[in-house]
Amino acid sequence: MTKYAIIGIATGIVLYFIDGSMAYVNDDYRTIAPIRLYSSVNQISEVAEAIDDEDIAEFGSGRIAQAIPKLELLYNLGYQWRGFGFLDKYETDNPKKQKDTHV
């Protein structure tokens, strides 16, 4: 297990630097990385450097922060091992997410 953990960590570090080397800044001055690992790690590290509420709000508009409510719902319903498939409006048995299919 230690061997696989070391391989996983090393792979993550290598992918981070590869993704960072391919990153570019778009017209809105946001860093865009093709694998999204570089931008996600940087987004998390920016929260530790937040000075005011505006910095926290900027984090809340990012890709990782948008997943937080879905992860919270996942754990509240006890669906940790089912994944996000239960959010499909047509296939779910979750009454909060079902869409009325009757027309």
Side-chain angles (χ1 to χ4, degrees):
M1 190 154 90
T2 305
K3 177 176 117 178
Y4 293 119
I6 291 170
I7 290 171
I9 291 169
T11 302
I13 291 170
V14 168
L15 286 175
Y16 173 80
F17 286 109
I18 289 172
D19 195 30
S21 69
M22 294 188 299
Y24 63 94
V25 177
N26 68 0
D27 295 337
D28 296 330
Y29 301 104
R30 292 183 181 237
T31 302
I32 307 297
I35 303 174
R36 296 183 177 176
L37 181 65
Y38 180 79
S39 58
S40 296
V41 170
N42 289 346
Q43 181 182 5
I44 292 170
S45 65
E46 287 175 2
V47 172
E49 300 169 1
I51 297 171
D52 56 9
D53 291 340
E54 188 174 328
D55 291 342
I56 299 294
E58 188 175 321
F59 170 76
S61 65
R63 181 171 43 257
I64 292 178
Q66 292 171 0
I68 292 172
K70 291 177 185 167
L71 290 170
E72 186 176 350
L73 177 63
L74 188 83
Y75 284 103
N76 287 343
L77 295 175
Y79 287 171
Q80 294 92 327
W81 300 107
R82 290 181 70 179
F84 288 114
F86 76 94
L87 293 175
D88 186 299
K89 292 179 182 177
Y90 299 103
E91 300 294 328
T92 186
D93 57 355
N94 177 1
K96 293 180 183 178
K97 294 293 179 183
Q98 283 180 337
K99 183 173 180 148
D100 186 19
T101 55
H102 299 94
V103 180

